[in-house]
Amino acid sequence: MTVDARRVAVLVSGRGSNLKALIDRASGYEIALAASNKPQAQALDVARAAGLPTWTLDSRGVDRELFEDMLTRSLEDHRVGTIALAGYMRLLSPDFIAQWRGRIVNIHPSLLPKYRGLKTHERALAAGEGATGCTVHVVTEELDSGKILAQTTVAIEPGDDIAALSERVLMAEHALYPATLAEFVER
Ligand code: GRF
């Protein structure tokens, strides 16, 4: 079966604002599936409202291998060629990443390699940074460490708190992710 890189699955666990941006600004790619490890994720409502196919399985208590086997089946059913992580909070196994090597991307709310992992805005503020931002990168076995595809810098203003800063970075994410994904699927 031929796999089309432009058929994208978006993996989500939460709110889904990046999924919404990827849907609204889709050009050069199409969202073939929204998949979640959290059946109650708001992001799934975003997908359903857009009329997109969804797949979900509660990952709590499910063996990782079984979970990923079921996910893989759904990705294959929907002829997915590229995976975009958008607030996906479950670690992917090295086997899964190897199977999709070079075809999974993620958006991270910092200027990588700074602030890998969680609480990025809190840490950037605590460090007194003058700027932070967001990064789209290729996913590898090492957390938030794969090849950087694109970044946007966002200034930290005096008086910024976590909420204000995350809101501004999120706006930048919503512009950066669709544009970068469109380029990535053409590579
Ligand atoms: C975003 O800040 C993204 O950078 C990070 O998780 C958050 C997801 O937000 N990986 P949303 O679910 O897309 O609104």
Side-chain angles (χ1 to χ4, degrees):
M1 188 170 54
T2 52
V3 179
D4 184 349
R6 289 166 300 191
R7 290 184 62 79
V8 175
V10 185
L11 269 54
V12 289
S13 303
R15 172 180 54 184
S17 72
N18 276 287
L19 170 62
K20 175 126 182 39
L22 289 169
I23 294 169
D24 290 349
R25 301 180 186 191
S27 132
Y29 63 84
E30 68 176 295
I31 311 291
L33 179 70
S36 181
N37 65 321
K38 297 235 181 266
Q40 307 306 328
Q42 206 182 309
L44 288 170
D45 295 330
V46 171
R48 290 186 197 110
L52 292 173
T54 59
W55 174 90
T56 183
L57 175 63
D58 194 335
S59 60
R60 278 172 309 177
V62 179
D63 172 74
R64 192 179 303 274
E65 201 180 324
L66 175 64
F67 179 88
E68 290 181 350
D69 281 352
M70 309 271 287
L71 173 61
T72 298
R73 199 170 308 165
S74 182
L75 295 169
E76 287 172 358
D77 284 350
H78 290 89
R79 292 181 294 111
V80 166
T82 300
I83 296 174
L85 308 184
Y88 185 67
M89 298 303 286
R90 185 171 219 229
L91 285 179
L92 296 167
S93 72
D95 279 354
F96 184 89
I97 292 170
Q99 190 185 334
W100 288 87
R101 178 151 333 273
R103 296 186 293 153
I104 312 177
V105 295
N106 180 43
I107 184 139
H108 183 77
S110 78
L111 291 175
L112 290 172
K114 279 192 170 179
Y115 307 115
R116 296 184 172 114
L118 299 174
K119 302 198 169 172
T120 54
H121 302 315
E122 197 172 317
R123 288 186 283 151
L125 286 167
E129 301 277 5
T132 183
C134 51
T135 302
V136 179
H137 66 94
V138 176
V139 171
T140 60
E141 285 82 349
E142 216 182 317
L143 184 70
D144 300 329
S145 298
K147 181 182 175 200
I148 292 173
L149 299 171
Q151 295 184 304
T152 303
T153 299
V154 174
I156 296 181
E157 309 288 354
D160 262 351
D161 57 11
I162 296 171
L165 184 57
S166 61
E167 181 64 28
R168 276 209 318 289
V169 173
L170 208 53
M171 295 297 111
E173 292 181 32
H174 296 166
L176 184 69
Y177 209 1
T180 309
L181 187 59
E183 275 178 32
F184 183 74
V185 300
E186 292 299 334
R187 78 206 181 285

